[in-house]
Amino acid sequence: AESAPDGPLLSLPTEHQHVRYNPLRDDWVLVSAHRVKRPWQGQLEKPPPEDVPRWDPKNPLCPGATRANGEVNPKYEGTFVFPNDFPALQPDAPEPDDSDHSLFRAAPARGLCKVMCFHPWSDLTLPLMSLPEIRAVIDAWAELATELGASYPWVQIFENKGAMMGCSNPHPHCQVWASSFLPNEARLEDQSQRQHLSQHGVPMLLEYAEQEARRKERLVVENADWLVVVPYWATWPYETLLLPRRHVCRLQDLSDSEKDSLASIMQRLLIKYDNLFEVSFPYSMGWHGAPTGSYLEEDCRHWQLHAHYYPPLLRSATVRKFMVGYEMLAQAQRDLTPEQAAERLRSLPEVHYKKRAE
């Protein structure tokens, strides 16, 4: 692990820069809260369109529509899972040739990529869906994690929401990539959580959730089974971490009641996100849990299930945080403290801005 910066952090300054340690990734983030006051003359993003048609025969994710490969979608009424027509991973890729030098290494990469539509309507996002509809999404996630995890060591469920995060289709959906290898973020989290359990006798994120539940200064929403915090080491302005209160290694290990309460807390968080700037809030999110495949036979008690939400917006619906320059060449940097971000999210109403007049 890296050594700590010179001098202990005895208090958390809100106006002065300091660095914070991220134990999950074994790295540091620079917090420069005073920078949020600087004038902005940079790029302004376009807000997402408000007039997305509910059904469009030209939209390849809609029920009954024809996709790029000529396949016709069924007229689905709930969730719908299908193979990605342009997969980044395929199950039968050939092995790369042996390297003639240690600086030019390659390794096999095989897998499967699937797309999952959340709902048949294109104009409906997760925070506007009903609790049973969100629960159906969670059930489908758990089923895919079980199915693909039977043979693949890593199953990455992730949602890119909004054009700002590279989403090329407004229809509510996510992707699921199963790989024959542990990706970089998974390897980092595996190492750090394993080390923490060895040194402290308790899973890192279970201990962290208990601490955050007691301290409350970074808490956004909570219920009997879950809590959402802006993590102490958050990089993105309104980044959040979704954590179970009990020790759970994998999404498929959740009980029915925990899935119900997960649907509720996801809805509450995502409504707050939309209410922050009264816009369909862009983000990338994904689940991290214990590896699967051959790891199902190994001791993975050091793992704790969790979901990361990484939203880019900083000041408004049109001003985002750019991870460039210093972030790419030195280390991550953020422009307001996690405590400030959590307080702002926590204070927002839990009725969606589009439904207040109803």
Side-chain angles (χ1 to χ4, degrees), residues 21 23 44 47 62 68 70 96 98 133 168 173 199 285 299 308 316 319 322-323 344 351 358:
Y21 181 60
L44 298 180
C62 281
D98 291 336
E133 289 168 340
S168 59
H173 71 285
Q199 292 179 347
M285 71 79 64
D299 184 357
H308 296 280
S316 68
V319 178
F322 287 91
M323 292 292 182
R344 189 162 183 195
V351 176
E358 292 181 1

Side-chain angles (χ1 to χ4, degrees), residues 9-47:
L9 263 179
L10 299 178
S11 62
L12 293 177
T14 57
E15 295 296 323
H16 304 292
Q17 69 268 14
H18 59 283
V19 292
R20 297 191 186 190
Y21 181 60
N22 181 345
L24 260 182
R25 303 190 77 258
D26 187 27
D27 64 10
W28 296 84
V29 57
L30 172 61
V31 182
S32 311
H34 57 285
R35 274 172 52 85
V36 80
K37 299 176 181 177
R38 73 193 192 280
W40 182 262
Q41 293 181 320
Q43 177 172 318
L44 298 180
E45 308 292 336
K46 287 183 178 180

Side-chain angles (χ1 to χ4, degrees), residues 50-64:
E50 295 282 350
D51 56 348
V52 175
R54 180 154 291 183
W55 183 82
D56 181 356
K58 297 178 182 177
N59 186 329
L61 297 186
C62 281

Side-chain angles (χ1 to χ4, degrees), residues 224-246:
D225 299 314
W226 301 87
L227 67 156
V228 175
V229 299
V230 177
Y232 175 79
W233 52 82
T235 297
W236 293 92
Y238 292 97
E239 175 182 333
T240 53
L241 186 63
L242 171 57
L243 295 161
R245 292 184 185 271
R246 78 171 177 97

